[in-house]
C-alpha cells in the first residue's frame, strides 16, 4: 500500500471560482502592502547600520538590569532582547543587544564594545560576547540597493527565459506569480516583525526560484496539452494540466517542507527567520503556481492555431512577440 | 528504448565514484585538516612537534581538499575596510614643495621671492613677488610633471599647474588620481596581507572589493578589534626637520610647517617642516634592539637613495634636532651629533620590549599608504560557530531521514532508487564544493537542506509521468522510457530557472548570501545529473534483471 497524498485521478475544477482565488490573493497583497507601509520592516543591521552584540551568560537574564547598565554610556537607541530557543542548554542564556549607528563613525569602535562589556560584567560577571557585528551606514545603504537590484534582476532574467522557451503570456503569468509571492513574503515579515537582513534576500530569491520551478512544470504540461488537444478550450486544458501535475506538485512541496521543517525546528535560532521565509515561500509558491500563474495565463489567453490570422491583430497586443 | 551503452554506464558510475571520493575527506574533517596543516608546515621546512605523525593520519593517495567553513561556522573576524585614497594626494602634494622651492630659487632673478601659501591640502599654492613672470614660473614648475603610467591615463601628465594672478597652483591631474588610487589600493592589499602573514593565522581571505575596498576575513582570530590593531595602524614613519617646539596644538606654525604632538611627553608639541627628508617607504629592514642604555629600541636600515638623503641631511645639519615621526606623533627628536653615513640608525623612545617588537613588524611590513576606514566588522565566537555546525548537522540528518522515508512510502522500489540517488547527490554536492574550494556558511547549510527537499523533484516528475503512461495501458518498458523522455523538458526548464536565480545571487550577493548561492547552484547541477542519469541507470538495471510484466510506481 503506497502513501498517497492526492487521489489517483483528480478532475478538480480550479477555475470555476477564479473570483474567489483572485479576491483572496488581492486581499492578501493589499494587506501586505498596507502592513509594509504602516509598520515597515524590522530591518537588521545589514540594512540599517549599527551594531549587534550577542551575549551569553549562565545566569538568567534580566533585561531591565542590562538596560540600566548600558544606559549611562549614552549610546542612543539600544534595544535588548532575550533569545529563547529549544536548542539552548539549560545554563545558556542568550540576549541580542542592538546599538544604533554612532554619529560620525562607520563601524563600531573598540572602546564602545569594551565599555558595553565592562558595564555588563557588573550585572552578569560571566557574560561573554559570542558575536559582535557592526555595519556602517555607508555599506548598509548599498546593501539595500544591491538587494533590490538582485531581486529585480532575477525576476527580469526569468521573464526573458520563459518568454524565449514558451510564449509571452506564460512569462507574464509566471512573473505575476513571482511578484505575488515576493509581496506576500515581505508582508508576513512586516506582520510578524521578523528581522529582515541580508540572508532574507537569499531566501526571497530562493522563493523566486522555487515558485518558478513549480510554475514552469505546470506550464510545461499546459504547452504539451495545448498541442495535443487543439480543439478544447483553454480553461479545460489548463484544468487538465494542473490536475495531471497535481500529485507531483504536492509531493515536491511536501518533501521540501519536510526538509525545511527539520531545519526550522533543529537548526538553531540564528537561521530561523531565514528558514521561516523559505517555508512560507514554498507554501505561497505552490499556491501561486496553481492559482495565480494559471489564472493570469487564462485571462491573457494563448494563441492556439498558428495557421489562422492573429486574434490580437489590431489591438494593443498585436506583434508583441513578432 | 531501455538500453544504455556500457561505456555510458561506466562513465556514470565513475562520475559518482569520483564525486564521492572527493567528498570523503569531509567525513573526517578534523583529521584531514590536521593532515593538511601538517603537510603544509613540512613543505615549508618545519619538522618535529608531532608533525610527521599528523601527516601520517591521512593516506596521501586520497584527495585531501575540504569544504572551507565560513566564519559563521568556524568563528573568526571579518572586516570590510575602505582605503582613504585621498590621503595619498595630500602626501604627494606635500612632498612636492621642496622640489618646487629649489627649482624656483634658481630662477630668483626672474620670478622674485617665493612664498608657500596656506591652502587646501590637495593643492599647492606658491606666491611669487614678480607677478609679470608668472607664465615663466608656471613653465618651470610644469617641468616637474611626469607622464602618467597607466592604460587609461596614457598621454597625460601627473600634475596640473595653473596660474592665479601671482600665485602658482599645483594639483594632481584626474588621470594621475585614478592611477594613484589603483596603486594605493594594490599597495594596501599587499601590506595587509604581509602583516597578517607575519602574525601567522590560517587561510585568511584578503580580497579587493570594488574600487577602493578591501575585505579581510581571518578565521580563528578572537575579535575584529584584534585584527584591526594588526592592520589598522598606518605605521607611517618619517624623519622631518624640526623648526621649533611649542606648548599647544594651535601654535602658529607658518606655511609648509605643521604642529605634531609628542608621543610620550604630555603637552609638548613640535613644529616640523611638513616635507619629510626620508620616509619609511625607503626602509629595507627594521629589527627590535636595545639602545646604549639598554632600553628597547628599533634599529633600521635604509635603501641606497634613502641612505643618501639621510646621510646628506645629517651632514648638513649637525647640531639641529631631527624628529622621528610615526603616524603623526613625534617618537623622539634627537639632536644630530654627527654625519650618519651608511643609512642605518636606531629609533629610541619610551618603548616596552613588546612595543618595539610590534613597531619593527609594522615597519618591516611597510606602511599603509593611506588610512583605512572600517565599514563593516563582524566577530563570530568559535562556540557560536560550533553550535551552528552541530544544529545544522542534526537538521540535515533529520531532513535527510524524513525525505528518505517519505519517498520510500510513496514510491516503493522506485523510491529506493530515488533515495540512493539522493544520497549520491549529497555526496556529489560536497565533492563539488571541495573541488572548487567553496566556503560553506550557515545559509549554505540551509541551501543543502533545501536541495535535499527539492532534489527529489526531478525524480518525482519522472515517476509521476511513468504512472500516467502506465494508465494508458502501455507496456512497462515503454512507460518507463516515455516517462523519462517526456519529463525531461519540464526538468530542464524548471532547473534552469532556479539556476538563473542562483547565479544572480552569487553575482550580486556577498558573504553568507554567496555561500547559499553556491550550494544551491551545486545542488541543482548534481540533482539534475542524478535524476536523469543515475536513477535512470538504476531503473534500467533493475528492469533488465526482473523483466516485470506489471509495474506499480
Amino acid at each position: 500500500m503506497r502513501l498517497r497524498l492526492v487521489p489517483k485521478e483528480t478532475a478538480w475544477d480550479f477555475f470555476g471560482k477564479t473570483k474567489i482565488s483572485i479576491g483572496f490573493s488581492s486581499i492578501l497583497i493589499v494587506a501586505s502592502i498596507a502592513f509594509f507601509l504602516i509598520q515597515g520592516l524590522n530591518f537588521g543591521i545589514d540594512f540599517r547600520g549599527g551594531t549587534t552584540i550577542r551575549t551569553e551568560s549562565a545566569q538568567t537574564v534580566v533585561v531591565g538590569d542590562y538596560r540600566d547598565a548600558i544606559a549611562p554610556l549614552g549610546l542612543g537607541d539600544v534595544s535588548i532582547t532575550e533569545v529563547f530557543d529549544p536548542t539552548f542548554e539549560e545554563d545558556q542564556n542568550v540576549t541580542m543587544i542592538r546599538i544604533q549607528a554612532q554619529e560620525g563613525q562607520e563601524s563600531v569602535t573598540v572602546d564602545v564594545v569594551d565599555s558595553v562589556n565592562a558595564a555588563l560584567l557588573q550585572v552578569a560577571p560571566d557574560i561573554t560576547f559570542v558575536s559582535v557585528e557592526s555595519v556602517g551606514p555607508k555599506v548598509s545603504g548599498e546593501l539595500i540597493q544591491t538587494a533590490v537590484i538582485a531581486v529585480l534582476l532575477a525576476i527580469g532574467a526569468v521573464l526573458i527565459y520563459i518568454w524565449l522557451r514558451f510564449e509571452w503570456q506564460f512569462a507574464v503569468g509566471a512573473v505575476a506569480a513571482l511578484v505575488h509571492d515576493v509581496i506576500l513574503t515581505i508582508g508576513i515579515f512586516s506582520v510578524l516583525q521578523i528581522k529582515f537582513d541580508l540572508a532574507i534576500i537569499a531566501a526571497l530569491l530562493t522563493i523566486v526560484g522555487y515558485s518558478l520551478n513549480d510554475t514552469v512544470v505546470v506550464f510545461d504540461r499546459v504547452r504539451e496539452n495545448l498541442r495535443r488537444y487543439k480543439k478544447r478550450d483553454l480553461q479545460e486544458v489548463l484544468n487538465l494540466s494542473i490536475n495531471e501535475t497535481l500529485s507531483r506538485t504536492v509531493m515536491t512541496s511536501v518533501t521540501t517542507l519536510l526538509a525545511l521543517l527539520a531545519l526550522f525546528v533543529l537548526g538553531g535560532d540564528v537561521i530561523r527567520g531565514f528558514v521561516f521565509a523559505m517555508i512560507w515561500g514554498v507554501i505561497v509558491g505552490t499556491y501561486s503556481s496553481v492559482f495565480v500563474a494559471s489564472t493570469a495565463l487564462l485571462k491573457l489567453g494563448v494563441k492556439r492555431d498558428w495557421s489562422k490570422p492573429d486574434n490580437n491583430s489590431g489591438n494593443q497586443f498585436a506583434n508583441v512577440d513578432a | 528504448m531501455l538500453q544504455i551503452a556500457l561505456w555510458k554506464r561506466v562513465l556514470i558510475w565513475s562520475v559518482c565514484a569520483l564525486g564521492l571520493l572527493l567528498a570523503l575527506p569531509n567525513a573526517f574533517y578534523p583529521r584531514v585538516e590536521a593532515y593538511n596543516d601538517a603537510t603544509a608546515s613540512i613543505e615549508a621546512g618545519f619538522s618535529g612537534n608531532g608533525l610527521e605523525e599528523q601527516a601520517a593520519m591521512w593516506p596521501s593517495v586520497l584527495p585531501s581538499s575540504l569544504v572551507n567553513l565560513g566564519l559563521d561556522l568556524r568563528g573568526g573576524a571579518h572586516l570590510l575596510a575602505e582605503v582613504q585614497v585621498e590621503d595619498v594626494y595630500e602626501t604627494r602634494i606635500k612632498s612636492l614643495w621642496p622640489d618646487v622651492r629649489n627649482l624656483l630659487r634658481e630662477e630668483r632673478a626672474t620670478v622674485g621671492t617665493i612664498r608657500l601659501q596656506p591652502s587646501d591640502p590637495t593643492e599647492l599654492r606658491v606666491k611669487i613677488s614678480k607677478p609679470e613672470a608668472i607664465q615663466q614660473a608656471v613653465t618651470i614648475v610644469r617641468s616637474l610633471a611626469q607622464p602618467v603610467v597607466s592604460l587609461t591615463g596614457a598621454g597625460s601628465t601627473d600634475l596640473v599647474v595653473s596660474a592665479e594672478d601671482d600665485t602658482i597652483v599645483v594639483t594632481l591631474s584626474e588621470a594621475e588620481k585614478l592611477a594613484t588610487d589603483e596603486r594605493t589600493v594594490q599597495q594596501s592589499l599587499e601590506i595587509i596581507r604581509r602583516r597578517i602573514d607575519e602574525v601567522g593565522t590560517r587561510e585568511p581571505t584578503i580580497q579587493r572589493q570594488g574600487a577602493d575596498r578591501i575585505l579581510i576575513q581571518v578565521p580563528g582570530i578572537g575579535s575584529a578589534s584584534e585584527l584591526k590593531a594588526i592592520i589598522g595602524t598606518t605605521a607611517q614613519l618619517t624623519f622631518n626637520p624640526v623648526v621649533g617646539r611649542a606648548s599647544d596644538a594651535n601654535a602658529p606654525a607658518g606655511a609648509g610647517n605643521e604642529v605634531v604632538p609628542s608621543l610620550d611627553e604630555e603637552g609638548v608639541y613640535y613644529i616640523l617642516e611638513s616635507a619629510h627628508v626620508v620616509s619609511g617607504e625607503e626602509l629595507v629592514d627594521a629589527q627590535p634592539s636595545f639602545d646604549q642604555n639598554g632600553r628597547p629600541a628599533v634599529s633600521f636600515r635604509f635603501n641606497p637613495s634613502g641612505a643618501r638623503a639621510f646621510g646628506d641631511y645629517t651632514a648638513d645639519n649637525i647640531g639641529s634636532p631631527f624628529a622621528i615621526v610615526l603616524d603623526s606623533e613625534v617618537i623622539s627628536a634627537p639632536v644630530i651629533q654627527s654625519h650618519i653615513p651608511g643609512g642605518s640608525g636606531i629609533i629610541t623612545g619610551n618603548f616596552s620590549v613588546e612595543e618595539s617588537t610590534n613597531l619593527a613588524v609594522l615597519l618591516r611590513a611597510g606602511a599603509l599608504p593611506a588610512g583605512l576606514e572600517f565599514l563593516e566588522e563582524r566577530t563570530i565566537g568559535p562556540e557560536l560557530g560550533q553550535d551552528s555546525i552541530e544544529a545544522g548537522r542534526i537538521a540535515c540528518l533529520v531532513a535527510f531521514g524524513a525525505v528518505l522515508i517519505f519517498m520510500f512510502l510513496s514510491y516503493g522500489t522506485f523510491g529506493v532508487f530515488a533515495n540512493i540517488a539522493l544520497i549520491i547527490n549529497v555526496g556529489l554536492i560536497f565533492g563539488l564544493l571541495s573541488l572548487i574550494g567553496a566556503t560553506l556558511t550557515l545559509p549554505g547549510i540551509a541551501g543543502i537542506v533545501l536541495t535535499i527537499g527539492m532534489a527529489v523533484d526531478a525524480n518525482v516528475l519522472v515517476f509521476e509521468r511513468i504512472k500516467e503512461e502506465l494508465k494508458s495501458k502501455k507496456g512497462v518498458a515503454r512507460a518507463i522510457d516515455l516517462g523519462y523522455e517526456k519529463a525531461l523538458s519540464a526538468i530542464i526548464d524548471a532547473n534552469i530557472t532556479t539556476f538563473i536565480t542562483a547565479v544572480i545571487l552569487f553575482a550580486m550577493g556577498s558573504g553568507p548570501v554567496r555561500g547559499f548561492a553556491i550550494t544551491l547552484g551545486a545542488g541543482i547541477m548534481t540533482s539534475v545529473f542524478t535524476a536523469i542519469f543515475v536513477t535512470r541507470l538504476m531503473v534500467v538495471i533493475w528492469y533488465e534483471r526482473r523483466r516485470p510484466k506489471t509495474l506499480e510506481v
Side-chain angles (χ1 to χ4, degrees):
Chain A
M1 195 46 214
R2 296 284 158 76
L3 181 68
R4 279 206 163 275
L5 299 174
V6 176
K8 222 168 190 170
E9 298 277 347
T10 54
W12 295 335
D13 183 11
F14 288 98
F15 298 101
K17 306 210 166 54
T18 46
K19 272 185 192 142
I20 295 180
S21 63
I22 293 177
F24 182 62
S25 291
S26 313
I27 290 171
L28 287 182
I29 287 178
V30 170
S32 295
I33 295 175
F35 262 104
F36 175 70
L37 291 179
I38 297 165
Q39 193 160 316
L41 289 169
N42 176 14
F43 284 113
I45 56 155
D46 287 341
F47 294 129
R48 191 198 266 181
T51 305
T52 56
I53 301 173
R54 188 183 168 97
T55 69
E56 237 182 81
S57 156
Q59 284 133 10
T60 15
V61 174
V62 183
V63 172
D65 290 355
Y66 280 32
R67 185 164 295 124
D68 292 344
I70 298 177
L73 301 174
L75 296 171
D77 183 18
V78 175
S79 77
I80 302 172
T81 42
E82 185 167 6
V83 182
F84 296 100
D85 195 274
T87 57
F88 289 161
E89 311 274 322
E90 191 96 330
D91 60 347
Q92 195 179 9
N93 296 296
V94 177
T95 50
M96 293 293 278
I97 300 172
R98 189 152 91 178
I99 303 166
Q100 70 174 50
Q102 300 294 305
E103 194 84 16
Q105 283 167 5
E106 274 298 333
S107 66
V108 71
T109 57
V110 184
D111 304 345
V112 171
V113 177
D114 285 350
S115 61
V116 172
N117 196 355
L120 288 178
L121 281 173
Q122 306 291 323
V123 189
D126 66 332
I127 202 162
T128 50
F129 286 7
V130 285
S131 80
V132 179
E133 304 190 46
S134 177
V135 177
K138 197 187 275 179
V139 174
S140 62
E142 288 169 24
L143 287 176
I144 294 188
Q145 203 182 342
T146 331
V148 171
I149 294 174
V151 174
L152 292 180
L153 258 183
I155 293 177
V158 158
L159 183 79
I160 293 171
Y161 179 81
I162 297 184
W163 175 53
L164 292 175
R165 283 284 288 162
F166 295 83
E167 275 169 62
W168 69 269
Q169 292 93 339
F170 288 84
V172 174
V175 168
L178 278 189
V179 173
H180 169 266
D181 299 346
V182 171
I183 291 178
L184 254 52
T185 307
I186 292 177
I188 195 87
F189 270 82
S190 175
V191 171
L192 299 178
Q193 288 291 300
I194 299 171
K195 195 169 77 183
F196 195 90
D197 56 19
L198 208 51
I200 302 301
I201 297 299
L204 268 184
L205 282 179
T206 318
I207 293 168
V208 169
Y210 185 85
S211 165
L212 267 173
N213 197 312
D214 249 17
T215 310
V216 167
V217 171
V218 174
F219 280 2
D220 195 76
R221 185 58 70 96
V222 172
R223 180 172 57 180
E224 190 185 319
N225 282 339
L226 281 174
R227 273 188 229 121
R228 191 188 293 171
Y229 307 110
K230 291 214 163 58
K231 298 293 169 211
R232 292 209 201 169
D233 68 59
L234 183 59
Q235 180 165 339
E236 240 176 281
V237 173
L238 277 174
N239 234 331
L240 178 73
S241 309
I242 294 174
N243 275 301
E244 281 177 354
T245 50
L246 193 64
S247 66
R248 173 265 159 197
T249 307
V250 173
M251 277 295 296
T252 300
S253 299
V254 169
T255 52
T256 310
L257 282 175
L258 273 180
L260 287 175
L261 280 173
L263 199 60
F264 184 75
V265 177
L266 302 165
D269 68 297
V270 182
I271 49 170
R272 189 151 294 145
F274 175 72
V275 176
F276 176 80
M278 293 209 284
I279 291 176
W280 173 261
V282 168
I283 296 169
V284 171
T286 308
Y287 163 83
S288 76
S289 60
V290 172
F291 290 99
V292 179
S294 306
T295 308
L297 187 59
L298 180 65
K299 300 283 169 202
L300 287 169
V302 183
K303 191 169 142 183
R304 305 286 294 278
D305 190 350
W306 294 84
S307 59
K308 284 187 197 151
D310 196 334
N311 284 337
N312 282 332
S313 63
N315 67 20
Q316 75 266 43
F317 296 120
N319 291 325
V320 76
D321 55 354
Chain B
M1 288 310 285
L2 287 179
Q3 274 154 5
I4 300 179
L6 182 66
W7 70 269
K8 282 188 192 163
R9 296 179 184 217
V10 173
L11 186 66
I12 292 169
W13 289 129
S14 322
V15 171
C16 292
L18 182 69
L20 294 179
L21 190 65
L22 285 171
L24 185 68
N26 294 295
F28 303 93
Y29 205 96
R31 183 182 284 204
V32 180
E33 193 170 43
Y35 162 84
N36 283 346
D37 288 351
T39 33
S41 318
I42 290 172
E43 264 168 39
F46 294 99
S47 61
N49 280 342
L51 279 181
E52 283 77 10
E53 218 170 279
Q54 284 182 342
M57 268 163 52
W58 186 250
S60 58
V61 284
L62 290 179
S64 60
S65 17
L66 291 165
V67 173
N68 289 323
L69 294 181
L71 288 185
D72 51 354
L73 294 178
R74 187 196 283 270
H78 160 120
L79 283 178
L80 180 65
E82 188 168 75
V83 183
Q84 305 303 103
V85 286
E86 291 83 11
D87 287 3
V88 178
Y89 307 159
E90 295 175 23
T91 329
R92 276 287 299 281
I93 289 294
K94 227 189 248 176
S95 67
L96 273 174
W97 166 236
D99 294 337
V100 171
R101 178 180 57 193
N102 294 345
L103 267 182
L104 290 177
R105 260 187 197 154
E106 288 167 20
E107 303 292 325
R108 197 172 291 172
T110 34
V111 300
T113 55
I114 52 173
R115 276 176 85 181
L116 183 62
Q117 300 294 303
S119 69
D120 191 78
T122 55
E123 57 179 23
L124 188 71
R125 301 180 78 91
V126 182
K127 194 171 174 175
I128 56 175
S129 62
K130 294 184 180 168
E132 62 278 10
I134 189 75
Q135 280 316 320
Q136 263 163 294
V138 165
T139 320
I140 294 166
V141 175
R142 212 167 262 160
S143 70
L144 283 172
Q146 306 269 328
V148 175
V149 192
S150 80
L151 278 179
T152 45
S156 44
T157 53
D158 57 354
L159 300 180
V160 177
V161 186
S162 57
E164 273 175 31
D165 300 329
D166 57 352
T167 309
I168 308 163
V169 183
V170 187
T171 53
L172 293 179
S173 69
E174 282 308 311
E176 175 62 10
K177 281 183 180 172
L178 282 178
T180 313
D181 291 355
E182 185 64 29
R183 272 201 304 272
T184 312
V185 176
Q186 282 301 340
Q187 211 180 336
S188 308
L189 202 64
E190 191 49 42
I191 285 162
I192 290 174
R193 185 166 294 140
R194 265 191 271 165
R195 285 184 185 179
I196 291 179
D197 283 349
E198 289 254 2
V199 188
T201 51
R202 74 149 44 135
E203 294 166 43
T205 310
I206 300 159
Q207 275 172 354
R208 180 165 181 180
Q209 268 195 351
D212 55 1
R213 292 189 183 163
I214 297 175
L215 174 74
I216 306 138
Q217 291 187 318
V218 184
I221 198 167
S223 74
S225 327
E226 234 172 276
L227 189 55
K228 261 193 200 163
I230 300 169
I231 57 171
T233 325
T234 329
Q236 186 84 49
L237 181 76
T238 54
F239 292 80
N240 298 50
V242 176
V243 178
R245 273 163 73 107
S247 55
D248 106 77
N250 302 316
N257 298 335
E258 58 192 3
V259 181
V260 177
S262 165
L263 179 70
D264 40 312
E265 290 167 281
E266 193 79 19
V268 175
Y269 295 86
Y270 289 89
I271 300 170
L272 308 177
E273 278 187 30
S274 300
H276 52 74
V277 177
V278 214
S279 78
E281 277 153 43
E282 296 182 278
L283 277 179
V284 287
D285 192 20
Q287 295 290 341
S289 66
F290 294 93
D291 65 5
Q292 62 268 45
N293 301 320
R295 289 180 310 183
V298 177
S299 64
F300 58 87
R301 209 151 42 76
F302 284 120
N303 64 13
S305 75
R308 194 175 321 117
F310 193 63
D312 290 353
Y313 186 84
T314 50
D316 295 347
N317 293 281
I318 293 172
S320 342
F322 192 34
I324 304 171
V325 184
L326 182 72
D327 290 335
S328 300
E329 283 181 316
V330 175
I331 295 182
S332 67
V335 171
I336 299 168
Q337 307 290 354
S338 61
H339 172 214
I340 309 175
S344 65
I346 190 163
I347 306 172
T348 55
N350 259 333
F351 302 131
S352 66
V353 176
E354 196 178 309
E355 281 168 341
S356 72
T357 314
N358 258 341
L359 180 59
V361 167
L362 289 174
L363 290 179
R364 205 162 50 229
L368 283 172
L372 296 176
E373 183 166 32
F374 295 102
L375 305 180
E376 203 183 299
E377 58 176 275
R378 296 170 198 264
T379 308
I380 314 286
E383 319 84 38
L384 183 60
Q386 199 53 49
D387 289 354
S388 303
I389 289 191
E390 205 44 50
R393 196 206 310 268
I394 293 170
C396 267
L397 289 176
V398 171
F400 209 60
V403 172
L404 292 185
I405 293 169
F406 183 73
M407 284 298 284
F408 176 69
L409 289 180
S410 303
Y411 294 110
T413 317
F414 276 46
V416 174
F417 297 151
N419 286 343
I420 298 173
L422 182 59
I423 294 168
I424 294 176
N425 185 20
V426 173
L428 288 181
I429 293 177
F430 274 97
L432 196 60
L433 293 179
S434 311
L435 186 69
I436 57 176
T439 302
L440 187 65
T441 58
L442 199 51
I445 292 183
I448 291 179
V449 173
L450 184 70
T451 316
I452 293 174
M454 285 176 69
V456 292
D457 180 55
N459 287 311
V460 169
L461 272 167
V462 173
F463 296 166
E464 292 294 325
R465 198 71 205 216
I466 294 177
K467 266 188 199 171
E468 281 175 47
E469 298 300 330
L470 283 172
K471 271 184 219 160
S472 52
K473 301 279 181 282
K474 293 203 173 76
V476 173
R478 184 84 188 121
I480 294 175
D481 207 32
L482 279 176
Y484 272 98
E485 194 186 304
K486 290 198 174 165
L488 191 66
S489 83
I491 294 176
I492 300 289
D493 279 337
N495 283 290
I496 285 183
T497 44
T498 314
F499 195 71
I500 291 175
T501 55
V503 169
I504 289 173
L505 264 183
F506 182 78
M508 305 289 297
S510 63
V513 176
R514 226 170 216 214
F516 177 74
I518 290 176
T519 52
L520 186 65
I524 290 167
M525 284 194 269
T526 56
S527 67
V528 169
F529 171 77
T530 52
I532 60 184
F533 295 115
V534 181
T535 49
R536 182 176 191 164
L537 184 53
M538 284 191 278
V539 169
V540 169
I541 292 173
W542 169 82
Y543 181 80
E544 284 169 350
R545 298 245 170 109
R546 290 282 175 82
R547 297 272 163 197
K549 292 278 174 280
T550 56
L551 179 66
E552 194 201 353
V553 175

